[in-house]
Amino acid sequence: MSMHYYAKIDGTGAIVGIQSSGAPIQGLDETWVPVDATVTAHTHYVRNGRVRRYKPGQAERRRAPPRAGFDWDATTFAWRDLRPLAQARADKLREINAAFEQAAAALTAGYPRTETLTWGIQQSEALAWLADSAAPTPYLDGLAAARGLPAAEMRTRTAAKVRAFMAASQELVGRRQALEAAVRAAETAAAVERVAWSSPPA
């Protein structure tokens, strides 16, 4: 017995499901159209009552929704964001925070965690020394002795690293805060989705 295939379509003509039967199915409404076995939700759509095949670029977009909560629009060959604004904001903030954490992790990559725990005291002593060359730096002096370096050289090296780290972390924190503000100011889910870690607002 030959199979009969039917595609269920939504209001845009996007195919949202396929059903097969060994015999014709009776009583189907206009949201179901007969198709052949080669048709899938990712390869075809329906327009003006005709089943059409997506072009290669259109098919690739059809296979890759930006995230959960998007619905394919077969009239524009694009994804529609159906999420409530609050959900779109929450999703985007998670994305931004994850990107921030990844970028921030690169600043400490290669250092043992226990060593990074000493950075606070190293920073405070280095900044105090930059403000007043007579400020005591007992921890940095101890590091210098352990490494066989002059204390002044250790202070200078540490101060340079502190400045570089602060500049890099300031950029990352400032960017994350600016993007968070942009997300909270956006009035539509589409506007939220346009906010991206790779393109911080001016």
Short mmCIF file of all heavy atoms in Angstrom, two decimals, residues 66-102:
data_model
loop_
_atom_site.label_atom_id
_atom_site.label_comp_id
_atom_site.label_asym_id
_atom_site.label_seq_id
_atom_site.Cartn_x
_atom_site.Cartn_y
_atom_site.Cartn_z
N PRO A 66 17.57 31.66 16.23
CA PRO A 66 18.51 32.36 17.11
C PRO A 66 18.53 31.79 18.52
O PRO A 66 19.57 31.68 19.14
CB PRO A 66 17.98 33.80 17.10
CG PRO A 66 17.19 33.91 15.83
CD PRO A 66 16.59 32.56 15.62
N ARG A 67 17.36 31.41 19.02
CA ARG A 67 17.24 30.86 20.37
C ARG A 67 15.81 30.38 20.55
O ARG A 67 14.98 30.58 19.67
CB ARG A 67 17.62 31.89 21.43
CG ARG A 67 16.72 33.10 21.47
CD ARG A 67 17.10 34.08 22.56
NE ARG A 67 18.19 34.95 22.16
CZ ARG A 67 19.39 34.92 22.72
NH1 ARG A 67 19.67 34.06 23.66
NH2 ARG A 67 20.33 35.76 22.34
N ALA A 68 15.52 29.77 21.67
CA ALA A 68 14.16 29.32 21.95
C ALA A 68 13.22 30.51 21.98
O ALA A 68 13.60 31.60 22.42
CB ALA A 68 14.11 28.57 23.27
N GLY A 69 12.01 30.31 21.49
CA GLY A 69 11.02 31.38 21.50
C GLY A 69 10.86 32.07 20.18
O GLY A 69 10.08 33.02 20.06
N PHE A 70 11.58 31.62 19.15
CA PHE A 70 11.47 32.20 17.82
C PHE A 70 10.64 31.27 16.93
O PHE A 70 10.67 30.05 17.07
CB PHE A 70 12.85 32.39 17.18
CG PHE A 70 13.56 33.63 17.65
CD1 PHE A 70 14.04 33.73 18.95
CD2 PHE A 70 13.75 34.70 16.80
CE1 PHE A 70 14.69 34.86 19.38
CE2 PHE A 70 14.41 35.84 17.22
CZ PHE A 70 14.88 35.93 18.52
N ASP A 71 9.88 31.86 16.00
CA ASP A 71 9.01 31.11 15.11
C ASP A 71 9.35 31.49 13.67
O ASP A 71 9.53 32.67 13.36
CB ASP A 71 7.54 31.42 15.41
CG ASP A 71 6.59 30.54 14.62
OD1 ASP A 71 6.79 29.32 14.63
OD2 ASP A 71 5.67 31.08 13.98
N TRP A 72 9.45 30.50 12.80
CA TRP A 72 9.84 30.74 11.41
C TRP A 72 8.70 31.37 10.62
O TRP A 72 7.56 30.93 10.69
CB TRP A 72 10.27 29.44 10.76
CG TRP A 72 10.66 29.59 9.31
CD1 TRP A 72 9.97 29.17 8.23
CD2 TRP A 72 11.85 30.20 8.82
NE1 TRP A 72 10.65 29.47 7.07
CE2 TRP A 72 11.82 30.11 7.40
CE3 TRP A 72 12.95 30.81 9.41
CZ2 TRP A 72 12.82 30.62 6.59
CZ3 TRP A 72 13.96 31.31 8.61
CH2 TRP A 72 13.89 31.21 7.21
N ASP A 73 9.01 32.43 9.87
CA ASP A 73 8.04 33.10 9.01
C ASP A 73 8.38 32.79 7.56
O ASP A 73 9.39 33.28 7.04
CB ASP A 73 8.07 34.62 9.25
CG ASP A 73 6.94 35.34 8.54
OD1 ASP A 73 6.45 34.82 7.51
OD2 ASP A 73 6.55 36.43 9.00
N ALA A 74 7.56 31.96 6.92
CA ALA A 74 7.85 31.53 5.55
C ALA A 74 7.55 32.62 4.53
O ALA A 74 7.91 32.47 3.37
CB ALA A 74 7.03 30.29 5.21
N THR A 75 6.94 33.72 4.94
CA THR A 75 6.70 34.82 3.99
C THR A 75 7.90 35.74 3.87
O THR A 75 8.10 36.39 2.85
CB THR A 75 5.47 35.64 4.42
OG1 THR A 75 5.73 36.25 5.69
CG2 THR A 75 4.23 34.77 4.52
N THR A 76 8.70 35.82 4.92
CA THR A 76 9.88 36.70 4.90
C THR A 76 11.19 35.92 4.98
O THR A 76 12.26 36.53 4.90
CB THR A 76 9.83 37.67 6.10
OG1 THR A 76 9.83 36.91 7.32
CG2 THR A 76 8.57 38.54 6.05
N PHE A 77 11.09 34.60 5.13
CA PHE A 77 12.28 33.74 5.29
C PHE A 77 13.14 34.23 6.46
O PHE A 77 14.35 34.34 6.37
CB PHE A 77 13.10 33.69 4.00
CG PHE A 77 12.31 33.25 2.82
CD1 PHE A 77 12.04 34.12 1.78
CD2 PHE A 77 11.79 31.97 2.73
CE1 PHE A 77 11.30 33.72 0.68
CE2 PHE A 77 11.04 31.56 1.65
CZ PHE A 77 10.79 32.45 0.61
N ALA A 78 12.48 34.52 7.57
CA ALA A 78 13.18 35.02 8.76
C ALA A 78 12.46 34.50 10.00
O ALA A 78 11.32 34.05 9.94
CB ALA A 78 13.19 36.55 8.75
N TRP A 79 13.17 34.58 11.10
CA TRP A 79 12.61 34.13 12.38
C TRP A 79 11.92 35.28 13.08
O TRP A 79 12.45 36.38 13.15
CB TRP A 79 13.71 33.56 13.28
CG TRP A 79 14.23 32.25 12.79
CD1 TRP A 79 15.32 32.05 11.99
CD2 TRP A 79 13.68 30.96 13.04
NE1 TRP A 79 15.48 30.72 11.73
CE2 TRP A 79 14.49 30.02 12.36
CE3 TRP A 79 12.59 30.50 13.78
CZ2 TRP A 79 14.24 28.65 12.40
CZ3 TRP A 79 12.33 29.14 13.82
CH2 TRP A 79 13.15 28.23 13.14
N ARG A 80 10.73 35.02 13.62
CA ARG A 80 9.99 36.00 14.40
C ARG A 80 10.20 35.75 15.88
O ARG A 80 10.13 34.61 16.33
CB ARG A 80 8.48 35.92 14.09
CG ARG A 80 8.11 36.29 12.68
CD ARG A 80 6.61 36.12 12.48
NE ARG A 80 6.21 34.72 12.65
CZ ARG A 80 4.96 34.30 12.80
NH1 ARG A 80 3.97 35.18 12.81
NH2 ARG A 80 4.67 33.01 12.91
N ASP A 81 10.48 36.82 16.61
CA ASP A 81 10.71 36.70 18.04
C ASP A 81 9.36 36.79 18.75
O ASP A 81 8.72 37.84 18.76
CB ASP A 81 11.63 37.82 18.51
CG ASP A 81 12.18 37.58 19.91
OD1 ASP A 81 11.60 36.74 20.62
OD2 ASP A 81 13.17 38.24 20.27
N LEU A 82 8.93 35.69 19.34
CA LEU A 82 7.64 35.64 20.02
C LEU A 82 7.77 35.75 21.54
O LEU A 82 6.77 35.63 22.25
CB LEU A 82 6.91 34.34 19.67
CG LEU A 82 6.67 34.08 18.17
CD1 LEU A 82 5.91 32.78 17.99
CD2 LEU A 82 5.92 35.24 17.53
N ARG A 83 8.96 35.99 22.03
CA ARG A 83 9.15 36.03 23.48
C ARG A 83 8.59 37.31 24.09
O ARG A 83 8.66 38.38 23.48
CB ARG A 83 10.65 35.97 23.81
CG ARG A 83 11.35 34.69 23.42
CD ARG A 83 12.85 34.83 23.60
NE ARG A 83 13.38 35.89 22.74
CZ ARG A 83 14.58 36.42 22.86
NH1 ARG A 83 15.39 35.99 23.81
NH2 ARG A 83 14.98 37.37 22.03
N PRO A 84 8.05 37.23 25.31
CA PRO A 84 7.70 38.45 26.04
C PRO A 84 8.97 39.27 26.26
O PRO A 84 10.08 38.72 26.32
CB PRO A 84 7.14 37.93 27.36
CG PRO A 84 6.77 36.50 27.10
CD PRO A 84 7.74 36.01 26.06
N LEU A 85 8.82 40.57 26.40
CA LEU A 85 9.97 41.45 26.57
C LEU A 85 10.81 41.04 27.77
O LEU A 85 12.05 41.04 27.70
CB LEU A 85 9.49 42.90 26.72
CG LEU A 85 10.58 43.97 26.91
CD1 LEU A 85 11.59 43.93 25.77
CD2 LEU A 85 9.93 45.35 27.02
N ALA A 86 10.17 40.68 28.87
CA ALA A 86 10.93 40.30 30.07
C ALA A 86 11.79 39.08 29.81
O ALA A 86 12.94 39.00 30.27
CB ALA A 86 9.97 40.03 31.24
N GLN A 87 11.27 38.11 29.05
CA GLN A 87 12.04 36.91 28.74
C GLN A 87 13.20 37.23 27.82
O GLN A 87 14.31 36.71 27.98
CB GLN A 87 11.15 35.86 28.09
CG GLN A 87 11.86 34.54 27.79
CD GLN A 87 12.38 33.87 29.05
OE1 GLN A 87 11.62 33.68 30.00
NE2 GLN A 87 13.65 33.52 29.08
N ALA A 88 12.95 38.10 26.82
CA ALA A 88 14.02 38.50 25.90
C ALA A 88 15.15 39.19 26.67
O ALA A 88 16.33 38.95 26.41
CB ALA A 88 13.47 39.43 24.83
N ARG A 89 14.79 40.05 27.61
CA ARG A 89 15.81 40.74 28.41
C ARG A 89 16.61 39.74 29.25
O ARG A 89 17.84 39.83 29.31
CB ARG A 89 15.15 41.77 29.31
CG ARG A 89 14.71 43.04 28.59
CD ARG A 89 13.93 43.95 29.52
NE ARG A 89 13.65 45.24 28.91
CZ ARG A 89 12.73 46.09 29.36
NH1 ARG A 89 12.00 45.76 30.43
NH2 ARG A 89 12.53 47.24 28.75
N ALA A 90 15.92 38.82 29.89
CA ALA A 90 16.60 37.83 30.74
C ALA A 90 17.55 36.97 29.91
O ALA A 90 18.69 36.71 30.33
CB ALA A 90 15.57 36.96 31.46
N ASP A 91 17.11 36.53 28.74
CA ASP A 91 17.96 35.72 27.86
C ASP A 91 19.20 36.49 27.44
O ASP A 91 20.32 35.98 27.43
CB ASP A 91 17.19 35.28 26.61
CG ASP A 91 16.10 34.27 26.90
OD1 ASP A 91 16.13 33.66 28.00
OD2 ASP A 91 15.23 34.07 26.03
N LYS A 92 19.00 37.76 27.05
CA LYS A 92 20.12 38.57 26.57
C LYS A 92 21.11 38.87 27.69
O LYS A 92 22.34 38.85 27.47
CB LYS A 92 19.60 39.86 25.95
CG LYS A 92 20.68 40.76 25.37
CD LYS A 92 21.54 40.08 24.31
CE LYS A 92 20.74 39.77 23.06
NZ LYS A 92 21.63 39.31 21.96
N LEU A 93 20.62 39.14 28.89
CA LEU A 93 21.53 39.43 30.00
C LEU A 93 22.37 38.20 30.35
O LEU A 93 23.55 38.33 30.66
CB LEU A 93 20.74 39.90 31.22
CG LEU A 93 20.15 41.31 31.11
CD1 LEU A 93 19.32 41.65 32.33
CD2 LEU A 93 21.25 42.36 30.91
N ARG A 94 21.76 37.01 30.28
CA ARG A 94 22.55 35.79 30.49
C ARG A 94 23.64 35.66 29.43
O ARG A 94 24.78 35.29 29.72
CB ARG A 94 21.65 34.56 30.48
CG ARG A 94 20.92 34.30 31.79
CD ARG A 94 20.32 32.92 31.83
NE ARG A 94 19.26 32.77 30.83
CZ ARG A 94 17.99 33.05 31.07
NH1 ARG A 94 17.62 33.50 32.25
NH2 ARG A 94 17.08 32.87 30.13
N GLU A 95 23.30 35.97 28.19
CA GLU A 95 24.27 35.89 27.09
C GLU A 95 25.40 36.88 27.30
O GLU A 95 26.59 36.55 27.12
CB GLU A 95 23.54 36.19 25.78
CG GLU A 95 24.43 36.25 24.56
CD GLU A 95 23.67 36.71 23.33
OE1 GLU A 95 22.65 36.07 22.98
OE2 GLU A 95 24.05 37.74 22.73
N ILE A 96 25.07 38.12 27.67
CA ILE A 96 26.09 39.15 27.89
C ILE A 96 26.98 38.78 29.07
O ILE A 96 28.21 38.90 29.00
CB ILE A 96 25.41 40.52 28.13
CG1 ILE A 96 24.80 41.03 26.82
CG2 ILE A 96 26.41 41.53 28.69
CD1 ILE A 96 23.89 42.22 27.01
N ASN A 97 26.38 38.32 30.15
CA ASN A 97 27.17 37.96 31.33
C ASN A 97 28.11 36.79 31.05
O ASN A 97 29.24 36.75 31.54
CB ASN A 97 26.25 37.64 32.51
CG ASN A 97 25.56 38.89 33.05
OD1 ASN A 97 26.01 40.01 32.81
ND2 ASN A 97 24.47 38.69 33.76
N ALA A 98 27.65 35.83 30.25
CA ALA A 98 28.51 34.70 29.89
C ALA A 98 29.69 35.17 29.04
O ALA A 98 30.83 34.72 29.23
CB ALA A 98 27.70 33.64 29.14
N ALA A 99 29.42 36.10 28.11
CA ALA A 99 30.51 36.63 27.28
C ALA A 99 31.50 37.43 28.13
O ALA A 99 32.71 37.36 27.92
CB ALA A 99 29.92 37.51 26.18
N PHE A 100 30.96 38.17 29.10
CA PHE A 100 31.83 38.92 30.01
C PHE A 100 32.72 37.98 30.81
O PHE A 100 33.93 38.21 30.93
CB PHE A 100 30.97 39.77 30.95
CG PHE A 100 31.73 40.35 32.11
CD1 PHE A 100 32.47 41.51 31.96
CD2 PHE A 100 31.72 39.74 33.36
CE1 PHE A 100 33.19 42.05 33.02
CE2 PHE A 100 32.43 40.26 34.42
CZ PHE A 100 33.17 41.42 34.25
N GLU A 101 32.14 36.93 31.36
CA GLU A 101 32.92 35.99 32.17
C GLU A 101 34.02 35.33 31.34
O GLU A 101 35.14 35.12 31.82
CB GLU A 101 32.01 34.91 32.77
CG GLU A 101 31.04 35.43 33.82
CD GLU A 101 31.73 35.83 35.11
OE1 GLU A 101 32.97 35.70 35.21
OE2 GLU A 101 31.04 36.29 36.03
N GLN A 102 33.70 35.01 30.08
CA GLN A 102 34.71 34.39 29.21
C GLN A 102 35.85 35.36 28.95
O GLN A 102 37.03 34.97 28.98
CB GLN A 102 34.06 33.96 27.90
CG GLN A 102 35.02 33.25 26.95
CD GLN A 102 34.34 32.77 25.69
OE1 GLN A 102 33.16 33.02 25.46
NE2 GLN A 102 35.08 32.07 24.86
#
